[in-house]
Amino acid sequence: MYELWLMLNILWEVALSVWPMLLAASLLWLVLMGITLRSAGARWSASLPSAFLIGCIAAFAAFLLLPQALSSTLSDLGYWVDWVTLIGLAMAVGGAVAAYALPLLTIRRELGHR
């Protein structure tokens, strides 16, 4: 349990150090969602499978690339917390990519139908 608390504490400290970028990314996503919501013919359901697939590909790529980005390798992950952290980070990357892809694909699809 201590490892999980330590991991959350580290995550919080990292978030505090990059809060301007997190705020800018959040505002950009809100703007994209606002543009998409204002579109009269936005078909979210048509873009959802593509956004999900893009998010899954990004999560898989993050799973493979994050250890190298942190000067490590997959073979260095020997403790279950390491694996859970890597899987969680990869899923977070995939979710973020899918969250941005959904409004972008919806806007693109709508512009293609005009």
Side-chain angles (χ1 to χ4, degrees):
M1 188 63 164
Y2 172 75
E3 290 88 359
L4 295 174
W5 180 251
L6 180 63
M7 182 178 63
L8 289 174
N9 223 353
I10 292 170
L11 181 65
W12 175 254
E13 292 297 325
V14 170
L16 283 178
S17 67
V18 294
W19 74 266
M21 288 188 296
L22 292 173
L23 180 64
S26 299
L27 290 175
L28 175 63
W29 183 77
L30 287 172
V31 166
L32 287 173
M33 293 299 284
I35 291 170
T36 308
L37 288 172
R38 290 185 55 181
S39 302
R43 292 182 22 207
W44 294 88
S45 59
S47 302
L48 194 58
S50 298
F52 181 74
L53 179 63
I54 291 170
C56 288
I57 292 169
F60 181 71
F63 181 82
L64 296 177
L65 297 175
L66 275 173
Q68 287 84 16
L70 300 172
S71 301
S72 183
T73 63
L74 286 175
S75 63
D76 291 336
L77 304 176
Y79 192 49
W80 70 270
V81 174
D82 298 335
W83 286 102
V84 169
T85 302
L86 178 60
I87 291 168
L89 286 171
M91 289 176 64
V93 168
V97 168
Y100 278 93
L102 182 60
L104 289 172
L105 289 171
T106 304
I107 293 168
R108 180 176 169 251
R109 185 177 302 271
E110 183 186 342
L111 291 176
H113 288 293
R114 285 186 180 177

